[in-house]
Amino acid sequence: MIILSDMYLSHPLLKENTVLRRVYQEDIFINCLNKNSLVVIPTGLGKTIVALMLAVHRLSEIPNSKIIFLAPTKPLVEQHFNSFMELTNIDSEMLQSITGSTPPEKRKELWNDIKVAFMTPQVLQNDIISNLYSIQEVVLIIFDECHRAVGDYAYCFIAKKYIELSESPQILGLTASPGSTEFKINEIKSNLFIDHIEIRTDSDRDVKPYIHKVVKEWIKIPLPPEYLEIKKLIIGKLKAVYKILKNLDLLNSSDINKVTRKDLLKLDKSINKRISSARDDEAKYEMFMAKKYNANAIRLSHIDELIETQGVNALKDYIDKNITKIKSRTANKSLIELFSDLDFKRIIELVKVAQEKGIVHPKLKKLKEILQEQITENQESRILVFCHYRDSVKNIVRYLNNYPKIKAHKFVGQRSSNTDKGLKQKEQIKLLQDFKEGTYNTLIGTSVAEEGLDIAECDMVVFYDVVPSAVRSIQRRGRTGRNKEGKVIILIAEGTRDEGYYWAEKRKEESMNRNLKKLKDPDSLPKEQASLTQYINTPGSNSIKNNDINLKDRFQENNDKLIIICDNRETKSPVVRKLSLMDVEIKLEQLTVADYIISETSGIERKAAQDFTDSIKDGRLFKELFELKKFFKKPILILEGDIYSSSIKESALYGAISSIILNLGINVYRTADTNETSLFIFHLAKKAQETSKGDFKIRFEKKPVEDSELLEFIIAGVPGINALRAKNLLREFKSLQGIFNAEKDELVKTEKIGRKIADEIFRISRYEYDNEY
């Protein structure tokens, strides 16, 4: 009907029938030319076509240029890649889907001939940090699902580096749901350097003709008496804990309806601060007790949610996991105390009885009825069921596959556990193809299935549970009604938090729509309000770009770049990204020792608070630090965050740190957060490299080891023996032979060696090797 000019209809990079057939697409495309643009458009209305046309325009406009198309997941990356393959005449060798499974050397090689690269942000981020190739000639980066461009997500880092490095940068952000608050929307604009916004909603006149009807239905489901009895006991325990926390002036109310999970999580941080600032042992003990109560309040709140919205099978799985922790002695004191409580034991017993009786959550029965009815009416139907918890996904699939018409399969992320295997990205892609072809007619998915997946055949979406997020709710609904009419069914457990979540999501979506309307109508904004460009360039503004420029001015006083070798697993932390923004040359490698290397003599191990305490418990800490000491003359340990707020006794923490400093000779430095850590590493590297400019090499395997040091290492391999005990034994018995030939009574005379450790040394020294272990 309405199409672009003849120039675009006959564009050499477009296949013959690739046209913009909708007036709003043409308007968006034209309005986004040569601007950093945010496009907010309902799902299924061809935002990929707009991105494709803009990409073709930029490639034609600027010779020898490249485009990058980013998406959060590999299935979504593949989807965009296939769209370009189908709709453009660009040589297939010049269109490349690049993933983390492609080795860095191969990525570097592919980059030379690429016109359009389709990538996940993590891959591009790592390549920018390690300077694998230049993005100077990239003239457009498309950020799909750009509502993720907040906080420390990789999109934010990539946008900053791109604006800094590219000769002709342009950014296109695409989303159906930018966020429910004006602050969130402005954060996305700032992080992606947006200076133009295009918004289309379902109610716009130019969009309405292309909107397919989506019928929404809310079904309230009452809980059975057995569930209500379990819930009553949980609420009783929760009220008792809330009352204790209120009496300690940590909660404003003990009313079960006024305290949220978010309140409890915030309270945990508040308690940690009070532990750190406590002036006497009594106050500190009181806060440690409060921390224990709060930990159990969080658990009880979660348990309450499971019985309300998921059922006894999901709750039994959760209970069993924690019982396993207790039996394997990996549980903390608060968990042990909760599971030892008589009332909680009664809860466990009732859950077990309900499961033995086969009393599943009534949502499950209703879901089965809905699916059977839908598939009976239309055998070609494709249904997506969204569920918040992985354990519930497993239980739902198992239940539904007992019914012949329903061919269900899970659709979850890559993470695997002992009891639940994740899906690799290749498996996800194949599964989506199987779904389209009818091998499966029902997918039970977690949040990984919410974003962007274009499954034209999907004609029904079911919310097994309600999410209190406007963004996630819109993303879920957007999986149906894309090319034909669809149906959305939301299951709500009556009288539970499902109802509260429903109203919370509704309020957030209304707020988002109001804010989008404001953005569409600039006249509704105050006349004196500065433009976004002015905002970004205003001195002292909250713009991250402005702060980054200040950092460079502060720290980069000469043109010689600092070099820091980073373990590539550290890219999950913001520290590496922050260092890269200081114009440090980052080299990513798979390091066997240290997290950061700043010179041939200096290696740094970084431990966030939780990792520090976990590594003490599981015995990793001293093994890692012994290796650090072995390979570096100047080893450094950075402890990040509040290490004293853990469940480990303060005396044990002080003892561990004292041993690290005095016995291992490692320098220890505490930082408040990732910002302070990155600044400290920067200054350390600057000082370390003042006298030795240029590249440096690390060869762990060739460093000579002193014989005495080797003896300590061997003895420290015996369970229960640390570096200090190893030194004491060697001083006493002079050699390995002397230690292993000693009797138990002789061994216990050594300082710090008790009967238990002496028994272990004696047993190990006389144990016969079994080559079939």
Side-chain angles (χ1 to χ4, degrees):
M1 190 172 69
I2 300 176
I3 56 178
L4 279 178
S5 66
D6 291 340
M7 180 185 77
Y8 281 97
L9 291 180
S10 59
H11 198 289
L13 291 181
L14 291 173
K15 288 188 177 170
E16 203 167 309
N17 296 318
T18 304
V19 294
L20 296 185
R21 291 165 291 128
R22 303 173 182 178
V23 65
Y24 67 85
Q25 291 175 327
E26 179 179 353
D27 286 346
I28 292 170
F29 164 66
I30 292 170
N31 293 340
C32 289
L33 291 174
N34 302 315
K35 299 174 188 144
N36 289 342
S37 303
L38 171 62
V39 174
V40 181
I41 186 171
T43 53
L45 293 180
K47 62 181 180 181
T48 304
I49 292 288
V50 176
L52 183 146
M53 293 300 294
L54 196 57
V56 165
H57 172 79
R58 291 292 279 174
L59 289 173
S60 306
E61 183 183 46
I62 304 172
N64 303 317
S65 57
K66 299 179 188 291
I67 308 287
I68 296 175
F69 203 133
L70 295 174
T73 63
K74 188 176 177 182
L76 200 45
V77 167
E78 289 295 314
Q79 186 174 292
H80 293 312
F81 170 69
N82 290 332
S83 294
F84 272 65
M85 289 286 284
E86 290 168 16
L87 300 174
T88 72
N89 288 319
I90 301 171
D91 188 332
S92 60
E93 294 296 315
M94 295 181 179
L95 298 173
Q96 291 288 343
S97 173
I98 301 176
T99 68
S101 59
T102 311
E105 298 78 17
K106 182 66 175 174
R107 297 204 297 268
K108 187 175 183 179
E109 181 186 324
L110 289 171
W111 183 255
N112 294 327
D113 299 321
I114 279 178
K115 277 292 178 187
V116 186
F118 303 84
M119 311 167 84
T120 57
Q122 288 76 19
V123 172
L124 180 59
Q125 170 192 272
N126 290 354
D127 290 352
I128 290 172
I129 288 171
S130 58
N131 201 25
L132 192 65
Y133 44 75
S134 171
I135 58 171
Q136 191 174 2
E137 57 203 4
V138 174
V139 296
L140 175 67
I141 295 187
I142 301 157
F143 294 84
D144 193 23
E145 309 298 345
C146 71
H147 51 267
R148 288 176 172 245
V150 293
D152 282 322
Y153 192 67
Y155 275 0
C156 307
F157 169 81
I158 290 167
K160 283 177 266 180
K161 294 298 286 185
Y162 174 57
I163 292 295
E164 176 190 326
L165 298 172
S166 174
E167 290 182 344
S168 304
Q170 185 177 351
I171 284 172
L172 177 66
L174 303 172
T175 183
S177 45
S180 57
T181 66
E182 195 171 346
F183 175 82
K184 174 84 180 286
I185 296 169
N186 282 329
E187 186 180 0
I188 294 165
K189 286 166 57 183
S190 176
N191 288 343
L192 294 183
F193 305 97
I194 299 299
D195 49 35
H196 174 74
I197 298 180
E198 285 289 320
I199 297 169
R200 297 294 185 277
T201 65
D202 293 354
S203 57
D204 287 339
R205 288 175 61 189
D206 57 350
V207 169
K208 266 186 178 180
Y210 307 101
I211 297 290
H212 296 283
K213 185 180 179 184
V214 175
V215 177
K216 296 175 193 171
E217 185 180 357
W218 295 266
I219 300 176
K220 286 191 175 184
I221 301 167
L223 295 179
E226 292 84 356
Y227 281 35
L228 293 174
E229 186 180 0
I230 294 168
K231 183 173 167 55
K232 186 178 177 181
L233 284 170
I234 296 168
I235 293 299
K237 291 296 301 173
L238 204 47
K239 279 181 177 177
V241 176
Y242 285 175
K243 194 170 181 181
I244 292 168
L245 293 172
K246 184 177 183 295
N247 290 338
L248 290 169
D249 291 327
L250 293 168
L251 286 178
N252 295 324
S253 172
S254 57
D255 188 334
I256 206 79
N257 297 313
K258 291 182 179 178
V259 181
T260 66
R261 184 94 52 81
K262 190 180 283 187
D263 293 331
L264 296 174
L265 293 170
K266 282 182 182 175
L267 180 57
D268 195 55
K269 292 180 181 179
S270 175
I271 292 170
N272 288 343
K273 286 181 182 176
R274 287 175 69 166
I275 289 171
S276 297
S277 60
R279 294 185 178 181
D280 55 63
D281 289 343
E282 188 178 342
K284 193 166 284 190
Y285 174 77
E286 190 176 71
M287 284 302 104
F288 271 118
M289 292 299 292
K291 187 173 177 66
K292 192 161 57 174
Y293 286 124
N294 192 52
N296 282 335
I298 293 169
R299 291 188 184 104
L300 288 164
S301 175
H302 177 63
I303 287 166
D304 185 42
E305 182 173 3
L306 288 178
I307 193 65
E308 280 187 349
T309 64
Q310 308 299 315
V312 288
N313 289 331
L315 179 50
K316 183 69 164 54
D317 286 344
Y318 176 80
I319 288 169
D320 288 345
K321 280 180 187 176
N322 284 293
I323 288 173
T324 301
K325 280 185 184 179
I326 292 167
K327 286 180 178 177
S328 63
R329 297 183 178 180
T330 58
N332 57 31
K333 285 184 180 179
S334 59
L335 181 65
I336 295 167
E337 286 185 14
L338 178 64
F339 275 64
S340 302
D341 180 84
L342 291 177
D343 290 333
F344 196 79
K345 285 183 176 180
R346 175 66 178 152
I347 291 169
I348 295 172
E349 183 60 32
L350 289 174
V351 169
K352 187 179 176 184
V353 170
Q355 190 182 45
E356 287 171 352
K357 287 182 179 179
I359 304 171
V360 298
H361 199 290
K363 279 187 184 181
L364 209 47
K365 291 181 179 179
K366 190 64 185 176
L367 177 63
K368 181 257 296 180
E369 291 172 17
I370 292 166
L371 300 188
Q372 285 185 317
E373 184 181 335
Q374 176 73 12
I375 295 165
T376 301
E377 286 180 9
N378 178 11
Q379 291 186 0
E380 299 302 313
S381 189
R382 300 289 184 275
I383 304 160
L384 266 174
V385 179
F386 286 103
C387 186
H388 188 60
Y389 295 107
R390 282 272 290 261
D391 285 344
S392 294
V393 169
K394 184 174 61 177
N395 289 324
I396 292 168
V397 171
R398 190 164 52 215
Y399 179 81
L400 292 177
N401 280 335
N402 290 320
Y403 301 92
K405 288 183 180 179
I406 304 171
K407 294 177 286 184
H409 200 288
K410 69 179 181 180
F411 191 85
V412 298
Q414 298 183 73
R415 181 180 53 81
S416 293
S417 65
N418 293 332
T419 56
D420 184 28
K421 187 176 181 292
L423 293 175
K424 293 177 181 175
Q425 290 181 328
K426 283 185 180 178
E427 292 174 307
Q428 292 173 6
I429 293 167
K430 185 180 184 305
L431 185 54
L432 288 173
Q433 191 60 38
D434 290 344
F435 183 60
K436 288 180 180 182
E437 292 171 0
T439 306
Y440 304 103
N441 56 23
T442 306
L443 291 183
I444 316 298
T446 54
S447 58
V448 75
E450 289 174 358
E451 285 184 324
L453 297 178
D454 187 3
I455 306 167
E457 296 80 4
C458 181
D459 51 4
M460 176 181 276
V461 165
V462 181
F463 288 32
Y464 187 77
D465 43 28
V466 187
V467 285
S469 162
V471 171
R472 292 185 62 193
S473 185
I474 290 167
Q475 293 290 341
R476 283 183 174 189
R477 296 200 307 263
R479 297 315 103 213
T480 190
R482 298 174 80 87
N483 291 338
K484 58 184 177 181
E485 290 188 0
K487 189 184 290 185
V488 173
I489 295 177
I490 301 169
L491 304 180
I492 300 174
E494 196 171 357
T496 70
R497 68 193 67 207
D498 270 355
E499 291 185 343
Y501 286 170
Y502 165 73
W503 289 109
E505 186 280 323
K506 195 173 178 64
R507 283 193 300 273
K508 288 176 182 177
E509 195 167 334
E510 286 170 355
S511 171
M512 185 179 77
N513 290 333
R514 281 195 304 272
N515 287 316
L516 290 177
K517 191 175 179 182
K518 269 190 201 176
L519 290 168
K520 279 189 76 174
D521 181 12
D523 293 336
S524 67
L525 296 173
K527 298 293 182 186
E528 68 276 8
Q529 179 167 318
S531 70
L532 181 68
T533 309
Q534 289 172 314
Y535 168 74
I536 289 173
N537 293 321
T538 300
S541 76
N542 290 326
S543 163
I544 298 175
K545 182 182 180 185
N546 193 59
N547 290 343
D548 293 334
I549 292 169
N550 289 342
L551 285 175
K552 275 203 283 183
D553 290 342
R554 278 172 64 191
F555 299 121
Q556 199 61 37
E557 296 170 356
N558 54 58
N559 293 324
D560 295 324
K561 277 193 175 183
L562 298 175
I563 299 169
I564 298 177
I565 300 174
C566 304
D567 182 46
N568 54 26
R569 288 159 292 193
E570 278 288 296
T571 56
K572 294 176 183 177
S573 153
V575 173
V576 176
R577 297 195 289 273
K578 291 177 191 297
L579 286 168
S580 180
L581 290 169
M582 294 175 192
D583 213 19
V584 171
E585 184 178 341
I586 300 292
K587 297 192 174 185
L588 295 179
E589 295 182 15
Q590 184 84 38
L591 297 179
T592 56
V593 180
D595 294 322
Y596 301 88
I597 300 172
I598 56 173
S599 74
E600 289 186 4
T601 58
S602 300
I604 299 169
E605 183 74 22
R606 170 184 161 269
K607 291 286 182 196
Q610 187 63 51
D611 187 29
F612 178 62
T613 53
D614 287 347
S615 65
I616 292 175
K617 290 177 187 176
D618 60 27
R620 282 183 294 119
L621 180 65
F622 284 97
K623 288 179 183 176
E624 291 172 355
L625 294 181
F626 187 86
E627 290 295 298
L628 188 72
K629 170 69 175 174
K630 187 165 87 173
F631 288 109
F632 295 101
K633 289 181 182 177
K634 298 172 184 175
I636 299 161
L637 171 65
I638 294 177
L639 299 178
E640 183 180 288
D642 186 5
I643 61 169
Y644 296 110
S645 61
S646 72
S647 57
I648 296 179
K649 287 182 179 178
E650 196 174 271
S651 57
L653 289 171
Y654 278 124
I657 294 169
S658 300
S659 181
I660 291 165
I661 296 169
L662 298 175
N663 299 326
L664 289 180
I666 292 176
N667 293 304
V668 178
Y669 186 84
R670 282 188 63 195
T671 61
D673 50 33
T674 55
N675 286 320
E676 197 174 316
T677 298
S678 55
L679 290 174
F680 182 55
I681 292 173
F682 176 91
H683 282 294
L684 283 172
K686 190 174 180 182
K687 191 70 177 172
Q689 295 174 34
E690 273 180 356
T691 54
S692 55
K693 293 288 180 185
D695 203 352
F696 53 87
K697 295 179 181 178
I698 304 299
R699 293 186 175 87
F700 295 119
E701 70 280 3
K702 294 186 179 180
K703 184 184 182 301
V705 180
E706 294 290 335
D707 287 345
S708 294
E709 201 172 23
L710 186 60
L711 294 180
E712 290 174 13
F713 181 69
I714 293 169
I715 294 298
V718 177
I721 297 182
N722 56 21
L724 176 61
R725 288 178 178 136
K727 287 177 187 290
N728 290 344
L729 283 164
L730 286 163
R731 285 194 200 99
E732 183 71 26
F733 294 98
K734 309 301 182 190
S735 67
L736 294 180
Q737 184 179 11
I739 295 170
F740 290 140
N741 285 339
E743 296 295 326
K744 295 178 188 179
D745 290 340
E746 294 176 293
L747 290 168
V748 295
K749 293 176 183 177
T750 307
E751 188 181 356
K752 301 287 184 183
I753 302 296
R755 176 61 62 181
K756 189 176 178 181
I757 293 175
D759 289 345
E760 188 65 12
I761 295 170
F762 191 83
R763 184 187 71 80
I764 289 288
S765 66
R766 288 152 180 80
Y767 183 81
E768 291 188 8
Y769 175 67
D770 179 5
N771 64 354
E772 295 182 357
Y773 68 96

